[in-house]
Amino acid sequence: MMIRQVIVMVIFSCLSMVAFSASTCKGNFVNPITDVCWSCLFPLTIGHMEVFGGSVPDTKEHPSSPICLCAPEGGGVVRPGISMGFWEPMAITDVTRTPFCMVNLGGLQLPFGSAYAMGATETANSDHNNSFYYVHWYKYPLLYWLNLIADGVCVESGDLDIAYLTELDPTWNDDEWGFLQNPEAVLFGNLIAQAACAADSLATIAGLPIDALFWCAGAQGGMYPLSGHVQEHVGGVQASLLLTERMAYKMHRDLLIRDSVGADFPALCNLKRYPIIPKSRYRYQMVNPIPTTGSHGCHPFGATTTTWEAGHEFPFKGEDFGYLVWRRRDCCAF
């Protein structure tokens, strides 16, 4: 009889944990039409000439000539083309306190979270808050799905795909394990390196972040450590955006994504892998809990959130976040 009661109690406890996890997982499906800031696609350039302008500062690394010569990836006949550039939605991120909560998939809760600790915000003292979130990175080739760019060579192709779950990465919740993967972090944990981040933050106010200060995330804080721990938690929007920017850096650091950095023909013809993120070539847009659309819906990496974050974090349904990541794409269109 005692054994049966223990078994019932264990089952009830497990079911309660699953139910609690599901109740804390909130989110909405991203509507590819109404939830996307389509003005963030611009400016559109041909060579160094701007054809359609945009409201967000654009990187200045454009090809000097509108004509390019490229061979298809994998080899083939060299053909002339038009060097064009635009901003492409290429990924979305979940930033959540609940393990395996797929915020951008309508708040879908995968049944693996009971073995993981919940993310939280902790107050160490009256002036210092820490927080921890999990992040999921989805491949999101929206322009390819909608066929908005006629030349398929110039857009990320494929299907919606979950490319990275930080719950499966032991370095995400343990800074010491993360140090083994990113030992260069020790170089930037000092006052001089952190003071330089003030210049990066000011640069985003005037335009774009400073790529040379790759360890800085502008107004959000520092890129290192590349983990889910936020040492200076100001608010949910600031912390979740910092982790989205860290995740983009981590994807570059692990050589998992490619970019068309630079105006040379090889970069125009084929994307390359770079271990250091070119921050100025990325911008972000919130899609959960409240999509930011309109002419000022997206912002450069590192830009302050104080101008738009009001009302975008609220109790219960508004404490987990989703972001659409835009990347500058330069290519040789045949």
Side-chain angles (χ1 to χ4, degrees), residues 248-270:
Y249 185 6
K250 183 177 178 65
M251 296 294 284
H252 268 280
R253 185 69 172 78
D254 295 343
L255 302 178
L256 296 177
I257 56 177
R258 303 182 297 170
D259 200 351
S260 56
V261 176
D264 59 324
F265 281 176
L268 288 175
C269 300
N270 299 304

Side-chain angles (χ1 to χ4, degrees), residues 33-290:
I33 305 300
T34 60
D35 292 347
V36 173
C37 173
W38 286 109
S39 62
C40 299
L41 183 72
F42 303 107
L44 174 67
T45 59
I46 295 180
H48 68 280
M49 181 177 63
E50 189 175 284
V51 179
F52 295 102
S55 59
V56 181
D58 185 33
T59 177
K60 303 304 179 184
E61 292 183 350
H62 302 318
S64 57
S65 172
I67 306 299
C68 52
L69 297 171
C70 282
E73 191 168 7
V77 179
V78 176
R79 295 183 291 175
I82 303 297
S83 55
M84 62 181 298
F86 54 93
W87 289 83
E88 174 188 23
M90 51 84 65
I92 54 176
T93 62
D94 298 327
V95 186
T96 177
R97 300 160 303 144
T98 306
F100 293 103
C101 172
M102 319 306 284
V103 180
N104 293 303
L105 297 182
L108 173 67
Q109 176 64 56
L110 300 183
F112 314 116
S114 59
Y116 293 80
M118 290 284 293
T121 302
E122 300 178 355
T123 303
N125 54 57
S126 59
D127 300 318
H128 184 72
N129 292 339
N130 299 322
S131 63
F132 176 81
Y133 291 83
Y134 298 98
V135 178
H136 311 140
W137 182 278
Y138 305 76
K139 182 180 178 183
Y140 197 71
L142 185 56
L143 297 186
Y144 175 76
W145 299 341
L146 300 180
N147 197 26
L148 292 182
I149 303 295
D151 192 341
V153 176
C154 286
V155 295
E156 192 80 14
S157 61
D159 301 316
L160 175 66
D161 188 17
I162 302 174
Y164 208 102
L165 295 170
T166 57
E167 290 88 339
L168 306 180
D169 182 356
T171 68
W172 188 254
N173 62 1
D174 191 317
D175 292 346
E176 293 182 0
W177 278 104
F179 176 76
L180 296 178
Q181 187 182 26
N182 306 288
E184 73 277 8
V186 71
L187 301 175
F188 310 114
N190 57 76
L191 292 177
I192 297 176
Q194 293 305 307
C197 293
D200 190 49
S201 180
L202 291 174
T204 62
I205 297 176
L208 296 172
I210 302 173
D211 288 339
L213 301 178
F214 61 88
W215 63 91
C216 301
Q220 277 70 62
M223 287 289 190
Y224 292 97
L226 296 181
S227 71
H229 295 103
V230 178
Q231 291 80 12
E232 293 291 343
H233 178 99
V234 178
V237 175
Q238 168 266 336
S240 61
L241 179 57
L242 171 61
L243 294 181
T244 289
E245 294 171 354
R246 279 186 186 174
M247 193 66 199
Y249 185 6
K250 183 177 178 65
M251 296 294 284
H252 268 280
R253 185 69 172 78
D254 295 343
L255 302 178
L256 296 177
I257 56 177
R258 303 182 297 170
D259 200 351
S260 56
V261 176
D264 59 324
F265 281 176
L268 288 175
C269 300
N270 299 304
L271 299 179
K272 297 180 179 179
R273 301 186 189 275
Y274 295 86
I276 301 298
I277 183 173
K279 296 182 299 183
S280 63
R281 299 182 60 82
Y282 286 87
R283 56 179 60 165
Y284 68 86
Q285 177 213 339
M286 176 180 277
V287 290
N288 257 300
I290 300 177

